[in-house]
PDB file of all heavy atoms in Angstrom:
ATOM      1  N   GLY Y  12      76.602 -13.937 -66.803  1.00  0.00           N
ATOM      2  CA  GLY Y  12      75.330 -13.349 -66.414  1.00  0.00           C
ATOM      3  C   GLY Y  12      74.369 -14.378 -65.851  1.00  0.00           C
ATOM      4  O   GLY Y  12      73.668 -14.116 -64.862  1.00  0.00           O
ATOM      5  N   GLN Y  13      74.324 -15.557 -66.450  1.00  0.00           N
ATOM      6  CA  GLN Y  13      73.458 -16.616 -65.942  1.00  0.00           C
ATOM      7  C   GLN Y  13      73.894 -17.061 -64.548  1.00  0.00           C
ATOM      8  O   GLN Y  13      73.066 -17.307 -63.676  1.00  0.00           O
ATOM      9  CB  GLN Y  13      73.478 -17.803 -66.907  1.00  0.00           C
ATOM     10  CG  GLN Y  13      72.782 -17.539 -68.223  1.00  0.00           C
ATOM     11  CD  GLN Y  13      72.917 -18.705 -69.182  1.00  0.00           C
ATOM     12  OE1 GLN Y  13      73.891 -19.463 -69.119  1.00  0.00           O
ATOM     13  NE2 GLN Y  13      71.967 -18.844 -70.076  1.00  0.00           N
ATOM     14  N   ILE Y  14      75.206 -17.163 -64.336  1.00  0.00           N
ATOM     15  CA  ILE Y  14      75.714 -17.573 -63.025  1.00  0.00           C
ATOM     16  C   ILE Y  14      75.357 -16.544 -61.966  1.00  0.00           C
ATOM     17  O   ILE Y  14      74.932 -16.888 -60.854  1.00  0.00           O
ATOM     18  CB  ILE Y  14      77.234 -17.782 -63.095  1.00  0.00           C
ATOM     19  CG1 ILE Y  14      77.572 -18.968 -64.010  1.00  0.00           C
ATOM     20  CG2 ILE Y  14      77.810 -18.015 -61.709  1.00  0.00           C
ATOM     21  CD1 ILE Y  14      79.046 -19.184 -64.202  1.00  0.00           C
ATOM     22  N   VAL Y  15      75.496 -15.252 -62.306  1.00  0.00           N
ATOM     23  CA  VAL Y  15      75.174 -14.195 -61.345  1.00  0.00           C
ATOM     24  C   VAL Y  15      73.695 -14.207 -61.004  1.00  0.00           C
ATOM     25  O   VAL Y  15      73.304 -14.088 -59.830  1.00  0.00           O
ATOM     26  CB  VAL Y  15      75.597 -12.827 -61.903  1.00  0.00           C
ATOM     27  CG1 VAL Y  15      75.072 -11.702 -61.021  1.00  0.00           C
ATOM     28  CG2 VAL Y  15      77.115 -12.742 -62.011  1.00  0.00           C
ATOM     29  N   ARG Y  16      72.831 -14.354 -62.016  1.00  0.00           N
ATOM     30  CA  ARG Y  16      71.384 -14.371 -61.766  1.00  0.00           C
ATOM     31  C   ARG Y  16      70.990 -15.562 -60.906  1.00  0.00           C
ATOM     32  O   ARG Y  16      70.187 -15.440 -59.987  1.00  0.00           O
ATOM     33  CB  ARG Y  16      70.623 -14.394 -63.100  1.00  0.00           C
ATOM     34  CG  ARG Y  16      70.615 -13.063 -63.827  1.00  0.00           C
ATOM     35  CD  ARG Y  16      69.601 -13.067 -64.942  1.00  0.00           C
ATOM     36  NE  ARG Y  16      69.923 -14.046 -65.966  1.00  0.00           N
ATOM     37  CZ  ARG Y  16      70.675 -13.806 -67.022  1.00  0.00           C
ATOM     38  NH1 ARG Y  16      71.210 -12.596 -67.195  1.00  0.00           N
ATOM     39  NH2 ARG Y  16      70.928 -14.739 -67.915  1.00  0.00           N
ATOM     40  N   GLU Y  17      71.554 -16.727 -61.221  1.00  0.00           N
ATOM     41  CA  GLU Y  17      71.214 -17.914 -60.437  1.00  0.00           C
ATOM     42  C   GLU Y  17      71.762 -17.802 -59.018  1.00  0.00           C
ATOM     43  O   GLU Y  17      71.087 -18.175 -58.048  1.00  0.00           O
ATOM     44  CB  GLU Y  17      71.774 -19.162 -61.111  1.00  0.00           C
ATOM     45  CG  GLU Y  17      71.370 -20.450 -60.388  1.00  0.00           C
ATOM     46  CD  GLU Y  17      71.801 -21.686 -61.138  1.00  0.00           C
ATOM     47  OE1 GLU Y  17      72.272 -21.553 -62.280  1.00  0.00           O
ATOM     48  OE2 GLU Y  17      71.675 -22.783 -60.573  1.00  0.00           O
ATOM     49  N   ALA Y  18      72.987 -17.280 -58.882  1.00  0.00           N
ATOM     50  CA  ALA Y  18      73.563 -17.126 -57.547  1.00  0.00           C
ATOM     51  C   ALA Y  18      72.750 -16.154 -56.702  1.00  0.00           C
ATOM     52  O   ALA Y  18      72.558 -16.365 -55.500  1.00  0.00           O
ATOM     53  CB  ALA Y  18      75.015 -16.646 -57.653  1.00  0.00           C
ATOM     54  N   SER Y  19      72.253 -15.090 -57.325  1.00  0.00           N
ATOM     55  CA  SER Y  19      71.433 -14.130 -56.579  1.00  0.00           C
ATOM     56  C   SER Y  19      70.156 -14.777 -56.075  1.00  0.00           C
ATOM     57  O   SER Y  19      69.679 -14.468 -54.972  1.00  0.00           O
ATOM     58  CB  SER Y  19      71.100 -12.922 -57.463  1.00  0.00           C
ATOM     59  OG  SER Y  19      70.339 -13.330 -58.604  1.00  0.00           O
ATOM     60  N   THR Y  20      69.594 -15.703 -56.847  1.00  0.00           N
ATOM     61  CA  THR Y  20      68.389 -16.412 -56.400  1.00  0.00           C
ATOM     62  C   THR Y  20      68.688 -17.275 -55.184  1.00  0.00           C
ATOM     63  O   THR Y  20      67.927 -17.275 -54.203  1.00  0.00           O
ATOM     64  CB  THR Y  20      67.843 -17.291 -57.533  1.00  0.00           C
ATOM     65  OG1 THR Y  20      67.579 -16.480 -58.684  1.00  0.00           O
ATOM     66  CG2 THR Y  20      66.556 -17.991 -57.112  1.00  0.00           C
ATOM     67  N   HIS Y  21      69.800 -18.016 -55.217  1.00  0.00           N
ATOM     68  CA  HIS Y  21      70.181 -18.848 -54.076  1.00  0.00           C
ATOM     69  C   HIS Y  21      70.459 -17.996 -52.842  1.00  0.00           C
ATOM     70  O   HIS Y  21      70.012 -18.332 -51.731  1.00  0.00           O
ATOM     71  CB  HIS Y  21      71.420 -19.677 -54.417  1.00  0.00           C
ATOM     72  CG  HIS Y  21      71.237 -20.586 -55.599  1.00  0.00           C
ATOM     73  ND1 HIS Y  21      70.133 -21.391 -55.752  1.00  0.00           N
ATOM     74  CD2 HIS Y  21      72.018 -20.818 -56.684  1.00  0.00           C
ATOM     75  CE1 HIS Y  21      70.243 -22.077 -56.870  1.00  0.00           C
ATOM     76  NE2 HIS Y  21      71.376 -21.749 -57.457  1.00  0.00           N
ATOM     77  N   VAL Y  22      71.187 -16.898 -53.024  1.00  0.00           N
ATOM     78  CA  VAL Y  22      71.518 -16.031 -51.897  1.00  0.00           C
ATOM     79  C   VAL Y  22      70.256 -15.422 -51.298  1.00  0.00           C
ATOM     80  O   VAL Y  22      70.126 -15.296 -50.067  1.00  0.00           O
ATOM     81  CB  VAL Y  22      72.502 -14.930 -52.341  1.00  0.00           C
ATOM     82  CG1 VAL Y  22      72.695 -13.900 -51.238  1.00  0.00           C
ATOM     83  CG2 VAL Y  22      73.840 -15.539 -52.727  1.00  0.00           C
ATOM     84  N   LEU Y  23      69.292 -15.069 -52.152  1.00  0.00           N
ATOM     85  CA  LEU Y  23      68.044 -14.489 -51.664  1.00  0.00           C
ATOM     86  C   LEU Y  23      67.272 -15.484 -50.801  1.00  0.00           C
ATOM     87  O   LEU Y  23      66.781 -15.130 -49.722  1.00  0.00           O
ATOM     88  CB  LEU Y  23      67.189 -14.043 -52.848  1.00  0.00           C
ATOM     89  CG  LEU Y  23      65.806 -13.456 -52.491  1.00  0.00           C
ATOM     90  CD1 LEU Y  23      65.972 -12.207 -51.629  1.00  0.00           C
ATOM     91  CD2 LEU Y  23      65.015 -13.149 -53.756  1.00  0.00           C
TER      92      LEU Y  23
END
Side-chain angles (χ1 to χ4, degrees):
Q13 290 176 332
I14 294 176
V15 171
R16 285 193 297 270
E17 184 174 352
S19 62
T20 303
H21 301 313
V22 172
L23 178 61

